[in-house]
Coordinates of all heavy atoms in Angstrom, one line a residue:
F1 N 0.9 -1.2 0.0 CA 0.0 0.0 0.0 C 0.9 1.2 0.0 O 1.8 1.3 0.8 CB -0.9 0.0 1.2 CG -1.9 -1.1 1.2 CD1 -1.6 -2.3 1.7 CD2 -3.1 -0.9 0.6 CE1 -2.5 -3.4 1.7 CE2 -4.1 -2.0 0.5 CZ -3.8 -3.2 1.1
Y2 N 0.6 2.2 -0.9 CA 1.3 3.4 -1.0 C 0.4 4.6 -0.6 O -0.7 4.7 -1.0 CB 1.8 3.6 -2.4 CG 2.9 2.6 -2.8 CD1 2.5 1.4 -3.4 CD2 4.2 2.9 -2.7 CE1 3.4 0.5 -3.8 CE2 5.2 1.9 -3.1 CZ 4.8 0.7 -3.6 OH 5.7 -0.2 -3.9
D3 N 1.0 5.5 0.1 CA 0.3 6.8 0.5 C 0.4 7.8 -0.7 O 1.2 7.6 -1.5 CB 1.0 7.4 1.7 CG 0.7 6.6 3.0 OD1 -0.3 6.0 3.1 OD2 1.6 6.6 3.8
P4 N -0.5 8.8 -0.7 CA -0.4 9.8 -1.7 C 0.9 10.5 -1.6 O 1.5 10.6 -0.6 CB -1.6 10.7 -1.4 CG -2.5 9.9 -0.5 CD -1.7 9.0 0.2
A5 N 1.4 11.0 -2.8 CA 2.7 11.7 -2.9 C 2.6 12.7 -4.0 O 1.9 12.4 -5.0 CB 3.8 10.7 -3.0
I6 N 3.4 13.8 -3.9 CA 3.6 14.7 -5.0 C 4.6 14.1 -5.9 O 5.7 13.8 -5.4 CB 3.9 16.1 -4.5 CG1 2.8 16.7 -3.7 CG2 4.3 17.0 -5.7 CD1 3.1 18.0 -3.1
C7 N 4.4 14.0 -7.2 CA 5.3 13.5 -8.2 C 5.6 14.5 -9.2 O 4.8 15.5 -9.4 CB 4.7 12.3 -8.9 SG 4.3 10.9 -7.7
M8 N 6.7 14.4 -9.9 CA 7.1 15.3 -11.0 C 7.3 14.6 -12.3 O 7.8 13.5 -12.3 CB 8.4 16.0 -10.6 CG 8.9 16.9 -11.8 SD 10.5 17.6 -11.5 CE 9.9 19.2 -10.8
Y9 N 6.8 15.2 -13.3 CA 7.1 14.7 -14.7 C 8.3 15.5 -15.1 O 8.3 16.8 -15.1 CB 5.9 14.9 -15.7 CG 6.2 14.4 -17.0 CD1 6.2 13.1 -17.3 CD2 6.5 15.3 -18.0 CE1 6.5 12.6 -18.5 CE2 6.8 14.8 -19.3 CZ 6.8 13.4 -19.5 OH 7.1 13.0 -20.8
T10 N 9.4 14.9 -15.4 CA 10.7 15.6 -15.6 C 10.9 15.9 -17.0 O 10.2 15.5 -17.9 CB 11.8 14.6 -15.1 OG1 11.9 13.5 -16.0 CG2 11.6 14.1 -13.7
A11 N 11.9 16.7 -17.2 CA 12.3 17.2 -18.6 C 12.8 16.0 -19.4 O 12.8 16.0 -20.6 CB 13.4 18.3 -18.5
Q12 N 13.3 14.9 -18.7 CA 13.7 13.7 -19.4 C 12.6 12.7 -19.8 O 12.8 11.6 -20.3 CB 14.7 12.9 -18.5 CG 16.1 13.7 -18.3 CD 15.9 14.8 -17.3 OE1 15.1 14.7 -16.4 NE2 16.7 15.9 -17.6
G13 N 11.4 13.1 -19.4 CA 10.2 12.3 -19.8 C 9.9 11.2 -18.8 O 9.2 10.2 -19.2
T14 N 10.4 11.3 -17.6 CA 10.1 10.2 -16.6 C 9.3 10.8 -15.4 O 9.2 12.0 -15.3 CB 11.4 9.7 -16.0 OG1 12.2 10.7 -15.4 CG2 12.3 9.1 -17.1
H15 N 8.8 10.0 -14.6 CA 8.0 10.4 -13.5 C 8.8 10.1 -12.2 O 9.2 9.0 -12.0 CB 6.7 9.6 -13.4 CG 5.8 9.9 -14.5 ND1 4.8 10.8 -14.5 CD2 5.7 9.3 -15.8 CE1 4.2 10.9 -15.7 NE2 4.7 10.0 -16.4
Q16 N 9.0 11.2 -11.4 CA 9.8 11.1 -10.2 C 8.8 11.1 -9.0 O 8.1 12.1 -8.8 CB 10.8 12.3 -10.1 CG 11.5 12.3 -8.8 CD 12.4 13.5 -8.6 OE1 12.2 14.5 -9.4 NE2 13.3 13.5 -7.7
S17 N 8.7 10.0 -8.3 CA 7.8 10.0 -7.2 C 8.4 10.6 -6.0 O 9.7 10.6 -5.8 CB 7.4 8.5 -6.9 OG 8.5 7.8 -6.6
G18 N 7.6 11.1 -5.1 CA 8.1 11.7 -3.9 C 8.9 13.0 -4.1 O 9.9 13.3 -3.4
W19 N 8.5 13.8 -5.0 CA 9.2 15.1 -5.3 C 9.0 16.0 -4.0 O 8.0 16.0 -3.3 CB 8.5 15.8 -6.4 CG 9.0 17.2 -6.7 CD1 10.2 17.5 -7.4 CD2 8.5 18.4 -6.3 NE1 10.4 18.8 -7.5 CE2 9.3 19.4 -6.8 CE3 7.4 18.8 -5.6 CZ2 9.1 20.8 -6.6 CZ3 7.1 20.1 -5.4 CH2 7.9 21.1 -5.8
L20 N 10.1 16.7 -3.7 CA 10.1 17.5 -2.5 C 10.4 19.0 -3.0 O 11.3 19.2 -3.8 CB 11.2 17.1 -1.5 CG 11.1 15.8 -0.9 CD1 12.3 15.5 0.0 CD2 9.8 15.8 -0.1
A21 N 9.6 19.9 -2.5 CA 9.8 21.3 -2.8 C 10.9 21.9 -2.1 O 11.2 21.6 -0.9 CB 8.5 22.1 -2.4
S22 N 11.7 22.7 -2.8 CA 12.8 23.5 -2.2 C 12.2 24.7 -1.4 O 11.0 25.0 -1.6 CB 13.8 24.0 -3.2 OG 13.1 25.0 -4.0
Q23 N 12.9 25.4 -0.7 CA 12.5 26.6 0.0 C 12.0 27.6 -1.0 O 11.0 28.3 -0.9 CB 13.5 27.2 0.9 CG 13.7 26.4 2.2 CD 14.6 27.0 3.2 OE1 14.8 28.3 3.1 NE2 15.2 26.3 4.0
A24 N 12.8 27.7 -2.1 CA 12.5 28.7 -3.2 C 11.1 28.3 -3.8 O 10.3 29.2 -4.1 CB 13.5 28.7 -4.3
D25 N 10.9 27.0 -4.0 CA 9.6 26.5 -4.6 C 8.4 26.9 -3.6 O 7.4 27.4 -4.0 CB 9.6 25.0 -4.8 CG 10.5 24.6 -5.9 OD1 10.6 25.3 -6.9 OD2 11.0 23.5 -5.8
M26 N 8.6 26.7 -2.3 CA 7.6 26.9 -1.3 C 7.2 28.4 -1.2 O 6.1 28.8 -0.9 CB 8.0 26.3 0.0 CG 8.0 24.8 0.0 SD 8.2 24.2 1.7 CE 10.1 24.1 1.7
L27 N 8.2 29.3 -1.4 CA 8.0 30.7 -1.2 C 7.7 31.5 -2.5 O 7.4 32.6 -2.5 CB 9.3 31.4 -0.6 CG 9.6 30.8 0.8 CD1 10.9 31.4 1.3 CD2 8.5 31.2 1.8
A28 N 7.7 30.7 -3.6 CA 7.5 31.4 -5.0 C 6.0 31.7 -5.2 O 5.1 31.0 -4.6 CB 8.0 30.4 -6.1

């Protein structure tokens, strides 16, 4: 069983699970 997570679709065309926001991302 997997919990919900934020994922990113990358510039390389892959899906990165468990993406974490940087401080810059959070304050943008």
Side-chain angles (χ1 to χ4, degrees):
F1 295 90
Y2 293 89
D3 291 327
I6 295 175
C7 300
M8 173 183 267
Y9 183 75
T10 69
Q12 293 74 33
T14 62
H15 296 266
Q16 177 186 15
S17 60
W19 176 83
L20 296 175
S22 68
Q23 288 187 23
D25 291 326
M26 289 185 272
L27 296 172

